[in-house]
Amino acid sequence: MTKKCDRKGTPRITFSKTTPYLLSDMDHFFDSDGSMVKINKVAIFCRCGKSEKMPFCDGTHAHDGMDMDKSPDRAPDKMKDYKGKDITVHFNLGVCSHDATCLMLTDVFEKCRVPWILPDNGTRKDIIETIKKCPSGALSYTVDGIHQKDLDRVPAVRIEKGGPLKTEGFIELRDDMDSCPESAEHYCLCRCGESKNHPFCDGAHMHNGFDK
């Protein structure tokens, strides 16, 4: 994973397979209603999906147990290219959180079609703006031989109601599995506890009734 920096005061998220997310030095935290909330210099966030104090950890995992290994039958971590005349769209299903924002550009992205991405069905501008909204880093693009997958944003964490913990702005990720997001600038972390690709969200919350 590309490290933006490693100095005192750098926003980071630290955890292991058996511990919750520990956020440190985070100035911009947004609750599920979109409001900015001031949090402590170090804050602990639930990742087992069972806390009664969501999004914060209440220690439930210590009683129920938690071992967030990656599942062997998770989606493969592999980039696929969809080439158009003006732009090439890249997609990695292995880190997709199934946010579905891309499906708003229906002519280009259509999940029931093969291939599901047709870059020549839209303008370069619209495709780039759509890809910029992808929270997981699953989508990126290449124009004029330059691969673009990072944005330039202030470090921030956003909670999605009934969904993942969304990060942006090169927040450093440290765990005991050497987890590496597709984009060091933005990625989504599982909060429901049932992802097959821990620590990253794989959309499991959409099917297990998680609503916190």
Side-chain angles (χ1 to χ4, degrees), residues 10-15 20-30 39-46 55-56 156-159 165-167 171-173 187 189:
T10 297
R12 64 172 54 93
I13 300 175
T14 309
F15 54 94
Y21 301 125
L22 185 118
L23 277 68
S24 56
D25 297 299
M26 178 57 58
D27 293 328
H28 296 84
F29 170 74
F30 296 86
I39 59 176
N40 294 330
K41 188 175 180 63
V42 175
I44 303 176
F45 286 76
C46 176
F56 302 100
V157 168
R158 304 176 190 275
I159 295 294
L165 184 154
K166 297 179 177 180
T167 78
I171 297 172
E172 185 180 357
L173 185 69
Y187 50 89
L189 298 177

Side-chain angles (χ1 to χ4, degrees), residues 128-145:
I128 290 174
E129 289 305 311
T130 297
I131 290 175
K132 285 181 177 180
K133 297 175 184 177
C134 174
S136 67
L139 286 170
S140 58
Y141 66 93
T142 292
V143 171
D144 297 330

Side-chain angles (χ1 to χ4, degrees), residues 53-88:
K53 297 182 178 180
M54 281 291 190
F56 302 100
C57 172
D58 67 355
T60 297
H61 67 280
H63 302 287
D64 295 353
M66 182 172 69
D67 190 351
M68 301 299 189
D69 275 313
K70 293 181 184 294
S71 172
D73 64 341
R74 66 189 182 277
D77 184 10
K78 183 179 180 180
M79 188 74 77
K80 188 170 182 180
D81 302 331
Y82 297 84
K83 296 182 179 180
K85 63 180 184 297
D86 295 323
I87 186 172
T88 296

Side-chain angles (χ1 to χ4, degrees), residues 70 74-82 88-99 102 109 116-117 131 134-141 147-149 180-184 186-188 197 200-203:
K70 293 181 184 294
R74 66 189 182 277
D77 184 10
K78 183 179 180 180
M79 188 74 77
K80 188 170 182 180
D81 302 331
Y82 297 84
T88 296
V89 177
H90 311 286
F91 175 64
N92 185 346
L93 177 61
V95 298
C96 182
S97 65
H98 299 276
D99 174 80
C102 60
F109 301 93
W116 80 282
I117 300 177
I131 290 175
C134 174
S136 67
L139 286 170
S140 58
Y141 66 93
H147 186 193
Q148 303 281 358
K149 62 178 181 179
C180 181
E182 183 63 44
S183 167
H186 58 280
Y187 50 89
C188 292
N197 188 36
F200 304 111
C201 171
D202 68 354

